[in-house]
C-alpha cells in the first residue's frame, strides 16, 4: 500500500508512523508513507493556500484550486481520496478494514475553518472523522487513520491473529489480559487462564468481552446483540 498525506506541515511526518511496529513494517517495504506539501502548489510567491469565505463568517477556507493540484500530483485511477473532517463518517475498525484493501490512499489533512465545498464535490471520495470533537488541524487525524489501516496490512503485526482478537474486530471490546507474575499484590491471575484448558480460556474471554462491552459501551453491545440475532436467523 502507498499512502500520500497532503498537509501544510510535512515536517510532522512520518512522526509516529516511523517508529515501533509501523516503522519496522515501512523499512521492510510493506507500505510507504509520503508527505506532500500543499503549500508548494500555491500560485503566488507567498504560498497562499486559504481565503476568506464568501458570505462572511469566522476563519479561513483552504482554496479548491491549490488542493486539487496537490491531489492530482499523486492521484491515479487506483487512488482513494480521503478528507479528514469533523462532519465525516466516524472512523471504526470496519472502516479501517475496508481501507486496508485499497492500493493507494490520499489523506488530505484539513486546516483552518475548513475547505471549499467544490474541492470535496469534485475530488474527495470519503470524508472521515476520528471522533465527535474538533482538532486544530487534520494532521493528527490523518496519522490515526493511517496507523489504524497500516496495522491491518499482511505482515505488519508480528502475529496476524492480533488484529483478529483485539477490541472492535469482533464487535466487542477486548477481554482483560494477564501476564507474569501469577500473583501481584495479592491479586491472582484467573485459574482458567493457567489451567491449560483452551475451551475454558475461550469461554472466559468471550464472557469477559461481553461483560466489558455491555458495561462500558452500551451502543456497541446493542449492535452486537443485533448481529448475533441476525446470525441465528440466517441459520
Amino acid at each position: 500500500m502507498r499512502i500520500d498525506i497532503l498537509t501544510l506541515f510535512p515536517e510532522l511526518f512520518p512522526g509516529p508512523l516511523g517508529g515501533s511496529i509501523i516503522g519496522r513494517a515501512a523499512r521492510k517495504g510493506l507500505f510507504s508513507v509520503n508527505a506532500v506539501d500543499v503549500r508548494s502548489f500555491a500560485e503566488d510567491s507567498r504560498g497562499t493556500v486559504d481565503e476568506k469565505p464568501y458570505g462572511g463568517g469566522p476563519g479561513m477556507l483552504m482554496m479548491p484550486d491549490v488542493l486539487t493540484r496537490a491531489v492530482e500530483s499523486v492521484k491515479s485511477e487506483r487512488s482513494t481520496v480521503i478528507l479528514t473532517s469533523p462532519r465525516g463518517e466516524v472512523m471504526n475498525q470496519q472502516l479501517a478494514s475496508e481501507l486496508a484493501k485499497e492500493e493507494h490512499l490520499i489523506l488530505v489533512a484539513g486546516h483552518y475553518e475548513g475547505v471549499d465545498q467544490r474541492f470535496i464535490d469534485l475530488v474527495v471520495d470519503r470524508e472521515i472523522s476520528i471522533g465527535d470533537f474538533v482538532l486544530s488541524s487534520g494532521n493528527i487525524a490523518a496519522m490515526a487513520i493511517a496507523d489504524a489501516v497500516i496495522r491491518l496490512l499482511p505482515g505488519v503485526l508480528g502475529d496476524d491473529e492480533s488484529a483478529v482478537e483485539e477490541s472492535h474486530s469482533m464487535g466487542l471490546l477486548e477481554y482483560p489480559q494477564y501476564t507474569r507474575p501469577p500473583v501481584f499484590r495479592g491479586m491472582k491471575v484467573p485459574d482458567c487462564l493457567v489451567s491449560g484448558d483452551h475451551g475454558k480460556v475461550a469461554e472466559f474471554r468471550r464472557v469477559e468481552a461481553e461483560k466489558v462491552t455491555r458495561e462500558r459501551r452500551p451502543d456497541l453491545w446493542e449492535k452486537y446483540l443485533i448481529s448475533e440475532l441476525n446470525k441465528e436467523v440466517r441459520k
Side-chain angles (χ1 to χ4, degrees):
M1 172 179 282
R2 172 183 166 189
I3 301 177
D4 286 298
I5 301 177
L6 277 58
T7 173
L8 295 176
F9 302 95
E11 66 275 9
L12 296 178
F13 297 89
L17 301 177
S20 190
I21 295 172
I22 302 296
R24 289 197 296 271
R27 290 188 287 275
K28 290 179 181 178
L30 299 180
F31 72 93
S32 64
V33 173
N34 177 48
V36 178
D37 186 357
V38 172
R39 201 174 295 279
S40 66
F41 294 89
E43 291 186 321
D44 62 0
S45 59
R46 296 175 53 221
T48 302
V49 297
D50 61 312
E51 279 289 355
K52 295 179 180 179
Y54 285 119
M60 306 286 278
L61 296 180
M62 296 185 74
M63 300 161 64
D65 53 340
V66 178
L67 283 173
T68 299
R69 284 194 293 272
V71 169
E72 290 177 343
S73 72
V74 294
K75 187 178 181 181
S76 71
E77 293 181 355
R78 298 184 299 277
S79 303
T80 297
V81 181
I82 296 169
L83 173 67
T84 62
S85 169
R87 72 179 191 181
E89 57 187 311
V90 178
M91 187 68 180
N92 57 32
Q93 196 66 18
Q94 180 179 344
L95 180 50
S97 297
E98 290 178 20
L99 297 179
K101 298 174 183 176
E102 301 288 344
E103 292 185 35
H104 181 208
L105 298 180
I106 300 174
L107 301 177
V108 182
H111 198 61
Y112 303 115
E113 186 65 22
V115 305
D116 189 295
Q117 183 63 39
R118 292 167 294 179
F119 168 73
I120 298 173
D121 294 341
L122 290 170
V123 180
V124 174
D125 296 309
R126 307 182 81 154
E127 292 181 71
I128 295 179
S129 167
I130 61 169
D132 296 331
F133 53 91
V134 180
L135 298 169
S136 59
S137 77
N139 292 289
I140 293 175
M143 288 183 188
I145 293 169
D147 185 283
V149 171
I150 290 168
R151 64 192 307 279
L152 296 179
L153 299 178
V156 171
L157 296 180
D159 180 358
D160 287 339
E161 289 298 313
S162 296
V164 176
E165 295 191 1
E166 61 196 4
S167 289
H168 303 292
S169 294
M170 303 300 291
L172 296 170
L173 298 180
E174 193 169 28
Y175 45 79
Q177 298 198 69
Y178 302 84
T179 187
R180 294 179 180 177
V183 180
F184 175 67
R185 296 190 177 181
M187 302 175 70
K188 290 180 58 178
V189 173
D191 292 337
C192 65
L193 296 182
V194 295
S195 67
D197 187 324
H198 297 298
K200 289 183 179 180
V201 171
E203 177 66 11
F204 169 84
R205 290 175 172 174
R206 181 188 64 78
V207 170
E208 290 298 315
E210 290 181 348
K211 177 183 177 182
V212 71
T213 303
R214 185 172 60 250
E215 292 176 350
R216 300 184 184 184
R217 290 290 302 274
D219 57 325
L220 290 180
W221 177 244
E222 184 176 351
K223 291 180 181 178
Y224 173 74
L225 291 179
I226 294 173
S227 174
E228 291 299 298
L229 178 61
N230 289 337
K231 288 179 183 178
E232 289 299 319
V233 170
R234 285 195 292 271
K235 288 180 180 179

